[in-house]
Amino acid sequence: MDGDTDLGGLDLAGAKDYLLAFAVEAKRLDKEVELAEAELALWRGRVALAEGKARPELAGAAQAKAGELEAGLASLRAERSSLRSKVEAIRLQLPLVRARERSVDPDRLLAELQLMTGELLGDSGGEGRPGSAAAERELAGLEAAAKADAELAKLKATLGDPNAGGGGSRP
């Protein structure tokens, strides 16, 4: 594959921008070809006019200029044709780039699942159940809350709070 039409390292947006740059250049060459064709027609008309007026020196100079323009026009047409084929080759590759972006990356999917469940998949410390790390965190929170409630009840009992259930007396 031609180096200009290789979209291997581009994402879809980059590939579209790359295609656009080639298409714009092809359109610019279309305009140049039109201008060159018009100028060639002008010089061919001058050749005919000089030959009609029996001015061989002018006809020869006009013919030389027309020859230069024909060579330049052939070069422009070849370049335009090359660009058009590259544009077409890039267009044919766009669906492949689009499909490559939509394909599933297993490593990324695994990382997203691990992030959502809060555990490392395949980790033997979590009993193999999805969400066990989250459940452990929740249980630890409940244990801490129960411990805090017990400490509060003990404090109320030492202060002699009648609602503490300890029924302690005030000093």
Side-chain angles (χ1 to χ4, degrees):
M1 181 174 291
D2 187 9
D4 288 342
T5 60
D6 183 20
L7 303 179
L10 297 176
D11 62 349
L12 184 59
K16 285 181 177 181
D17 289 343
Y18 193 62
L19 172 64
L20 181 64
F22 272 99
V24 166
E25 184 64 18
K27 284 294 186 183
R28 186 191 63 78
L29 281 174
D30 285 343
K31 297 288 185 192
E32 280 190 40
V33 166
E34 286 179 23
L35 291 173
E37 286 173 343
E39 190 173 358
L40 178 61
L42 174 73
W43 282 97
R44 284 183 178 162
R46 288 178 178 170
V47 168
L49 181 64
E51 287 175 348
K53 297 284 184 176
R55 307 273 313 259
E57 69 284 349
L58 289 179
Q63 185 64 36
K65 181 66 175 180
E68 289 175 23
L69 290 173
E70 283 177 351
L73 182 60
S75 172
L76 283 174
R77 285 179 176 158
E79 187 177 353
R80 179 181 66 176
S81 175
S82 172
L83 272 176
R84 284 181 176 172
S85 67
K86 287 178 183 180
V87 165
E88 189 59 31
I90 293 171
R91 266 195 196 131
L92 291 175
Q93 289 183 46
L94 279 181
L96 299 175
V97 172
R98 188 175 294 121
R100 186 175 63 223
E101 280 191 352
R102 280 192 259 161
S103 68
V104 175
D105 180 7
D107 294 330
R108 181 177 176 195
L109 182 59
L110 177 63
E112 288 176 1
L113 285 172
Q114 289 172 341
L115 184 65
M116 289 175 15
T117 61
E119 70 175 22
L120 294 176
L121 293 179
D123 186 15
S124 60
E127 300 175 13
R129 290 190 326 251
S132 63
E136 287 178 23
R137 283 193 301 268
E138 188 176 342
L139 285 175
L142 290 174
E143 289 173 352
K147 185 177 179 182
D149 287 341
E151 292 292 323
L152 181 61
K154 192 188 306 184
L155 181 62
K156 285 181 181 182
T158 58
L159 293 177
D161 187 2
N163 295 332
S169 62
R170 276 204 147 159

